[in-house]
Amino acid sequence: MLEELRRMREQAKEELQAVLNLEALESWRLAYLGKNGAVTRALRSIGKLPREERPAAGQLANEIRQELEAAFEARQETLRQEALAADMARGAIDVRLPGRPQSLGYLHLSTQTLREIYAIFAQMGFQVLRSNEVETDTTNFQLLNIPPHHPARDMWSTFYTTEPGVLLRTHTSPGQIHAMRKYHPHPIRVILPGKCYRYEQVTVRSEHMFYQVEGLAVGRNITMADLKGVLTHFARQMFGPERKLRFRPSYFPFTEPSAEADIDCILCQGKGCAMCKYTGWLEILGSGMVHPNVLRNGGYDPDIYSGFAFGMGPERLAILKHGITDIRYFFSGDVRFLHQFA
Ligand code: DAH
């Protein structure tokens, strides 16, 4: 019996060494330590042995049981550690692999152009001031010297809200009133960027939503020469140091005198081409000396103060600069267009 028990112990240990996974380990446990396992059966059979053999056999069988239980636990722990290590190795990050590229966003061409404009005017001490896209008939028109039924309103059809007299601004010019009322009676040098809205047919040259950048300077002894100096510097920074600027007499209700500013054509250098319609000039903005009524509406006495203003469309400038053929590309959401300016 003792011999048999020892053999069983050796065999069990050998088999345990060959166990390579937790399922096989469980089969081994059932075979030796389970209810019908070899060790359990041996312990049960002790009672049937002759009396004198029982103590030695009982002691050995119990020792074997304890030994195999300890061996089982050790093996189980080893296999668990191995399984965990293998798991970690499989799920591990291979740091040598190149990372997945993040798709980076980029600025919309309108935003890029706006920022270029801010930077140029910042050189001349203009700060950026923002005001609402929803305005009233009073600020969008009347305080800018455009009374109800004035024919100039035809140039600025807009979207009205259900609230009487509340509308989407047609230009950034109402910002002039807000700036003057905010800073009165101090001198002002601001640019007013933002979206504007027009109720009109969308074509190659016009959108119902677009950006504008308004400029306003108010102070003592400001003249048209200041306006021309500022705009010339702007044009040269934006379109190249050799640019020429010319004023063409024009009409806006909120300026007197009014002028449209043209630069010599950036494509043909003023010789005449399809881009400038063979005139040699490209219109870039509207401008003028702030009308006395508008100064007064802003709280400035026109006998003491004067000022100049201008308004430009960044999309229009970008169109000229990049030779874009259709303003509708800007807000149609086609990334093939936008990506060219990434
Ligand atoms: N508000 C004008 C427009 O939308 C542009 C403009 C012209 C603005 C002359 C000005 C200005 O400040 O002086 O067509």
Side-chain angles (χ1 to χ4, degrees), residues 156 170-171 173 176 198 212 214-215 252 254-255 286-288 309-311:
W156 293 292
T170 56
H171 49 183
S173 302
Q176 292 187 31
R198 299 236 177 127
Q212 276 195 346
E214 191 86 8
F252 299 102
F254 31 88
T255 43
S287 65
F310 54 86

Side-chain angles (χ1 to χ4, degrees), residues 130-135 167-169 171-172 174-175 178 195:
R130 291 173 200 279
S131 57
N132 295 342
E133 289 171 26
V134 177
E135 286 282 0
L167 46 83
L168 296 185
R169 66 178 176 191
H171 49 183
T172 44
H178 300 306
K195 285 182 193 142

Side-chain angles (χ1 to χ4, degrees), residues 104-113 116 315 317-327 329-330 334-342:
L104 277 184
Y106 48 89
L107 296 175
H108 190 282
L109 180 56
S110 295
T111 309
Q112 291 181 36
T113 313
E116 232 177 301
E315 284 84 28
L317 298 188
I319 279 172
L320 296 177
K321 202 166 169 165
H322 302 287
I324 296 161
T325 52
D326 193 329
I327 196 171
Y329 286 138
F330 281 84
D334 188 336
V335 288
R336 290 172 304 179
F337 169 73
L338 299 172
H339 199 70
Q340 295 174 62
F341 306 99

Side-chain angles (χ1 to χ4, degrees), residues 113-188:
T113 313
L114 282 165
R115 292 189 179 184
E116 232 177 301
I117 296 170
Y118 305 159
I120 297 169
F121 282 102
Q123 295 167 1
M124 296 180 278
F126 285 77
Q127 68 182 41
V128 173
L129 181 69
R130 291 173 200 279
S131 57
N132 295 342
E133 289 171 26
V134 177
E135 286 282 0
T136 60
D137 189 273
T138 313
T139 44
N140 193 77
F141 294 121
Q142 294 174 44
L143 295 174
L144 292 169
N145 213 26
I146 313 169
H149 312 299
H150 191 284
R153 288 204 180 203
D154 287 352
M155 295 198 287
W156 293 292
S157 306
T158 189
F159 300 96
Y160 291 88
T161 67
T162 48
E163 197 72 25
V166 178
L167 46 83
L168 296 185
R169 66 178 176 191
T170 56
H171 49 183
T172 44
S173 302
Q176 292 187 31
I177 300 294
H178 300 306
M180 285 191 277
R181 291 187 169 180
K182 180 177 165 89
Y183 294 119
H184 163 271
H186 303 289
I188 298 175

Side-chain angles (χ1 to χ4, degrees), residues 64-84:
I64 291 174
R65 189 172 56 117
Q66 281 168 15
E67 199 183 327
L68 291 185
E69 272 172 2
F72 166 81
E73 267 160 37
R75 189 81 191 126
Q76 187 178 46
E77 185 56 24
T78 310
L79 287 175
R80 279 195 181 139
Q81 291 297 338
E82 279 174 16
L84 183 64

Side-chain angles (χ1 to χ4, degrees), residues 181-246:
R181 291 187 169 180
K182 180 177 165 89
Y183 294 119
H184 163 271
H186 303 289
I188 298 175
R189 234 184 279 175
V190 291
I191 51 172
L192 305 144
K195 285 182 193 142
C196 304
Y197 303 84
R198 299 236 177 127
Y199 179 64
E200 56 183 39
Q201 175 123 36
V202 173
T203 68
V204 168
R205 296 167 56 86
S206 54
E207 261 285 9
H208 48 57
M209 192 279 294
F210 53 93
Y211 280 94
Q212 276 195 346
V213 179
E214 191 86 8
L216 174 72
V218 178
R220 290 168 196 256
N221 306 314
I222 290 183
T223 71
M224 217 161 169
D226 298 309
L227 172 60
K228 195 161 188 184
V230 164
L231 294 182
T232 304
H233 178 74
F234 168 72
R236 291 183 177 165
Q237 291 282 307
M238 191 77 185
F239 294 104
E242 71 282 8
R243 286 283 73 78
K244 290 203 272 287
L245 185 94
R246 81 169 181 187

